[in-house]
Amino acid sequence: MLLANTSTLDAATLQFAADVRAGLDRPGQKELPSKYFYDAVGSSLFEAISVMPEYGLTRADERVLRGHSRDLARLVPTPLLICELGSGSGKKTRWILEALREKECISYYPIEISASALASCERELGQVDGITILGIEREYLDGLREVAARRAQGAHLLVLFLGSTIGNFDSGADRRFLESVRQTLIPGDCLLLGADLVKPLDQLLAAYDDPAGVTAAFNLNMLARINRELDADFNLRQFEHVARFNGSTSSIEMHLRSKKPQTVTIPRAEFMVQLREGETIWTESSHKYSVAELKILAAASGFECKEQWIDQEWQFAESLFMAI
Ligand code: AVI
C-alpha cells in the first residue's frame, strides 16, 4: 500500500486524515463527518443550494428574521453582546443588528473557523451604523467563552445559532451542545435558535435531492476534497448521491453509494478502504424538529423558551431561549 510522508502535514490536515480514517474504518455503516463539507468549493455549493427553489430553509430563516427582529429587540435585555455561532456571510444577521442598534451600545462577535467567511461577514455587516464588529476565528464554544469573558458588569449576551445547523448534530449531541452553551451564560442571557421543522416527505426529499444536482455535487465534493487534500483516488463517477428520510430519528440522511465493488487508497491517511456494490458512506443527518420538541430541548438544557416565530410557508422556527 502507498504510504505518504505525513510528517509534513499541518495539524488541520492530520485531524482531517484521522477523522476520515476513523469514519471509513468503522464496522457496519461507514461515515464521514459533515463538518468536512465546507471547504471553499463546498461552501460555494452550499450557497448555491440555499437559493435553489426546492430548498426553502434559508429563505424561511431570512423571512422570520426580517419579520420579527423588532419583536426580538423588545424581548432581549441590554446592553448586549451579540455572538453568532457560524456566522457564514452574515447576510441574514443584518435585520437583527439593525433592529437592535436602536437600543443600547451593541457589539457583534461573529464566531467562525473559516477566516474567509469571517472576512466576508465583516464586509457585509461592517457598514451597519452603531455596531462594533469583532470577528473571532475559533471553534463555537471556545469563541463563545472568549466573548463571555469580555462582558462588562450588567451586560447580557445574545447568542445566535441560525440556519438549523443544530439539526446536523448527532442525536443527543444537540442537547449536550446547548447545555455547554448554557454553561457559559448567566441568567437572563438569550439564545436565538433557528431550526427546520418536520414537513411533508416529498418536500423534504426534493430539498435534499434537487433535480439540478446541486446537492449531489455538494455531497460528492466530500470525496473530491479527500482526493485534493489527502491525495486519495476516489473516482467520483463510481458514487451516487442518496437522500432518504429516517422516520425513527426524524432526519434526512445523506449518503454516498458505491456503484460497484471498489478499493480506494488514501495515502495521507495511510489507509485503504474497500466498498461493496451498493454500500453507502453516511455523510450527513439533518434533523427536522417539532415545535414541542424545541420547547423540551430548551428546558432540558437550562433555558426557558420565551417566544417562537414560525414561517408558515416553509415550516421553520426561530425560538428565543432565555437562560434561567
Ligand atoms: C447547514 N445545514 C443546516 C444544511 C441542512 O439543511 O441540513 C446542510 C445541507 N445539506 C444538504 N443541503 C443542505
Side-chain angles (χ1 to χ4, degrees):
M1 140 155 198
L2 185 63
L3 287 185
N5 177 4
T6 54
S7 62
T8 55
L9 301 181
D10 61 36
T13 310
L14 283 172
Q15 187 60 55
F16 182 37
D19 290 345
V20 165
R21 183 181 177 132
L24 296 181
D25 202 21
R26 283 172 65 96
Q29 177 67 63
K30 293 180 172 46
E31 54 185 65
L32 289 167
S34 61
K35 65 177 176 184
Y36 292 118
F37 278 137
Y38 302 95
D39 66 348
V41 178
S43 300
S44 301
L45 287 167
F46 180 65
E47 289 283 313
I49 289 174
S50 68
V51 292
M52 293 301 288
E54 294 80 11
Y55 189 81
L57 191 156
T58 311
R59 286 183 295 278
D61 196 11
E62 282 170 10
R63 268 195 304 273
V64 185
L65 294 177
R66 200 168 54 225
H68 294 285
S69 286
R70 283 176 187 283
D71 302 326
L72 170 74
R74 275 192 286 275
L75 289 168
V76 291
T78 52
L80 203 58
L81 283 72
I82 305 173
C83 345
E84 182 163 12
L85 310 179
S87 57
S89 70
K91 198 171 143 219
K92 54 194 168 205
T93 314
R94 173 175 291 271
W95 308 108
I96 299 180
L97 297 187
E98 287 184 344
L100 281 165
R101 72 164 174 212
E102 288 159 21
K103 299 191 86 183
E104 267 181 80
C105 127
I106 305 286
S107 313
Y108 171 59
Y109 300 88
I111 302 170
E112 265 289 345
I113 44 167
S114 151
S116 61
L118 271 185
S120 65
C121 173
E122 283 170 340
R123 264 197 311 278
E124 171 81 27
L125 298 171
Q127 307 93 334
V128 182
D129 291 337
I131 303 275
T132 315
I133 303 188
L134 183 66
I136 302 204
E137 197 181 330
R138 302 283 288 272
E139 297 276 349
Y140 295 155
L141 292 173
D142 291 344
L144 185 57
R145 283 185 205 108
E146 193 174 316
V147 178
R150 289 166 185 252
R151 85 160 81 217
Q153 182 81 25
H156 277 287
L157 256 63
L158 167 63
V159 181
L160 307 176
F161 196 29
L162 307 174
S164 205
T165 303
I166 189 79
N168 298 130
F169 283 52
D170 290 341
S171 165
D174 52 358
R175 183 185 45 74
R176 289 193 296 279
F177 180 75
L178 294 189
E179 277 170 4
S180 304
V181 169
R182 171 63 190 88
Q183 277 160 19
T184 62
L185 304 181
I186 59 171
D189 286 350
C190 292
L191 165 69
L192 184 69
L193 181 72
D196 204 19
L197 300 176
V198 238
K199 48 184 64 63
L201 191 56
D202 54 346
Q203 198 181 351
L204 278 178
L205 291 175
Y208 290 86
D209 194 6
D210 60 273
V214 182
T215 309
F218 173 73
N219 199 6
L220 284 160
N221 178 58
M222 177 78 89
L223 303 183
R225 179 177 182 180
I226 299 174
N227 285 350
R228 286 190 294 269
E229 295 183 23
L230 303 181
D231 223 8
D233 58 1
F234 279 104
N235 179 348
L236 269 59
R237 295 188 197 285
Q238 297 303 342
F239 288 86
E240 62 192 357
H241 165 68
V242 178
R244 57 186 182 223
F245 188 70
N246 181 336
S248 65
T249 58
S250 187
S251 304
I252 282 277
E253 290 182 2
M254 297 208 309
H255 292 251
L256 290 161
R257 184 192 285 136
S258 174
K259 291 186 189 169
K260 61 165 201 183
Q262 50 185 320
T263 301
V264 179
T265 310
I266 313 173
R268 289 186 178 155
E270 299 182 326
F271 188 60
M272 214 152 85
V273 60
Q274 290 185 327
L275 291 131
R276 299 184 308 276
E277 180 177 346
E279 185 174 4
T280 72
I281 304 171
W282 183 8
T283 50
E284 186 184 64
S285 281
S286 190
H287 183 70
K288 304 302 164 191
Y289 292 88
S290 70
V291 166
E293 188 184 358
L294 287 164
K295 291 187 177 151
I296 294 168
L297 192 59
S301 47
F303 293 94
E304 183 192 347
C305 183
K306 279 282 190 204
E307 190 62 80
Q308 279 183 320
W309 298 284
I310 314 284
D311 185 67
Q312 295 304 335
E313 210 178 312
W314 180 265
Q315 290 301 306
F316 184 95
E318 220 71 73
S319 306
L320 181 66
F321 293 177
M322 189 172 274
I324 46 175

